[in-house]
């Protein structure tokens, strides 16, 4: 098992893409593109994401007392790339809702989950963050999601464009 082939195998699992934001100590804004977001629990309402131990944002993420998970829409590919670049000025040109002592909410996201830390776990070369959802807001339009699969952004075809699964077409 090489790292490369293992990464490739993991890439067979299609995901959405989110930008996880936080407020660091000193009020600095933190943001990272994240495909490791997932749901965990309904009661209590918990979600998770895992952060690379090499990420510059990790110390601030570990100290943060608020997070927001911004689930990206199909037309936010450029933002996804912008928030995946280490040490860059991720926040220039971003439209976001900023409120005191809250994590930034990125405009145009499909949904925002506003969270607080619940637990951190060892995840090997990543740290697993479990966060408790305190509030959420679903965007006004049912926009298409940004999908990440086999190392690339993809489109999710609409239900109506797909071959019907059942009944199967019968050819005599
Ligand atoms: C589609 C996509 C998904 C990503 N998912 C994750 C992830 O789940 N966890 C993670 O730590 N980094 C992930 N990254 C990489 C981070 O976004 C990137 O390393 C980080 O923003 C670097 O910022 P920093 O070093 O300034 O903190 C992903 C990048 C892309 C393009």
């Amino acid at each position: 098992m090489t790292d490369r082939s293992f990464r490739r195998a993991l890439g067979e699992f299609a995901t959405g893409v989110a930008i996880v934001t936080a407020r660091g100590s000193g009020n600095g804004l933190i943001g990272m593109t994240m495909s490791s977001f997932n749901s965990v629990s309904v009661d209590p309402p918990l979600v998770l994401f895992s952060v690379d131990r090499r990420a510059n944002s990790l110390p601030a993420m570990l100290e943060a007392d608020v997070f927001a998970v911004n689930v990206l829409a199909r037309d936010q590919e450029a933002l996804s790339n912008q928030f995946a670049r280490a040490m860059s000025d991720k926040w220039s040109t971003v439209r976001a809702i900023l409120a005191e002592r809250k994590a930034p909410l990125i405009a145009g996201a499909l949904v925002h989950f506003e969270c607080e830390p619940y637990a951190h776990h060892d995840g090997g070369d990543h740290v697993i963050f479990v966060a408790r959802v305190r509030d959420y807001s679903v965007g006004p339009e049912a926009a298409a999601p940004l999908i990440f699969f086999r190392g690339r952004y993809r489109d999710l075809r609409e239900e109506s464009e797909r071959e019907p699964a059942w009944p199967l077409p019968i050819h005599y």
Side-chain angles (χ1 to χ4, degrees):
M1 186 161 106
T2 64
D3 289 3
R4 194 153 172 261
S5 78
F6 182 49
R7 271 208 201 93
R8 216 169 143 167
L10 292 172
E12 295 295 312
F13 185 58
T15 66
V17 182
I19 295 174
V20 176
T21 61
R23 250 179 212 276
S25 54
N27 242 13
L29 301 182
I30 309 295
M32 286 183 75
T33 299
M34 209 81 81
S35 58
S36 56
F37 170 68
N38 222 319
S39 54
V40 176
S41 162
V42 172
D43 185 18
L46 302 178
V47 296
L48 69 74
F49 51 88
S50 56
V51 178
D52 196 319
R53 290 191 188 274
R54 292 167 305 180
N56 300 292
S57 309
L58 179 63
M61 296 278 279
L62 286 168
E63 279 182 10
D65 47 20
V66 283
F67 300 111
V69 178
N70 302 267
V71 175
L72 297 186
R74 181 64 189 100
D75 63 1
Q76 294 184 305
E77 188 176 319
L79 267 188
S80 172
N81 290 332
Q82 189 167 327
F83 279 85
R85 254 175 249 129
M87 305 293 285
S88 56
D89 176 15
K90 295 172 174 175
W91 292 95
S92 60
T93 74
V94 177
R95 281 191 306 127
I97 302 161
L98 300 172
E100 237 182 285
R101 284 193 294 277
K102 285 193 165 192
L105 303 182
I106 292 177
L110 298 185
V111 55
H112 309 112
F113 294 101
E114 293 186 74
C115 312
E116 62 187 32
Y118 183 83
H120 301 133
H121 298 288
D122 175 35
D125 58 17
H126 282 57
V127 177
I128 301 165
F129 283 68
V130 180
R132 185 186 182 112
V133 178
R134 284 299 179 192
D135 202 0
Y136 57 87
S137 47
V138 180
E141 317 121 42
L146 184 59
I147 303 290
F148 198 64
F149 179 56
R150 291 187 184 148
R152 284 212 226 136
Y153 298 111
R154 312 279 175 164
D155 281 310
L156 184 69
R157 275 199 290 166
E158 289 297 323
E159 203 64 38
S160 59
E161 296 164 358
R162 244 181 258 145
E163 295 288 319
W166 188 264
L168 292 171
I170 297 166
H171 301 289
Y172 293 101

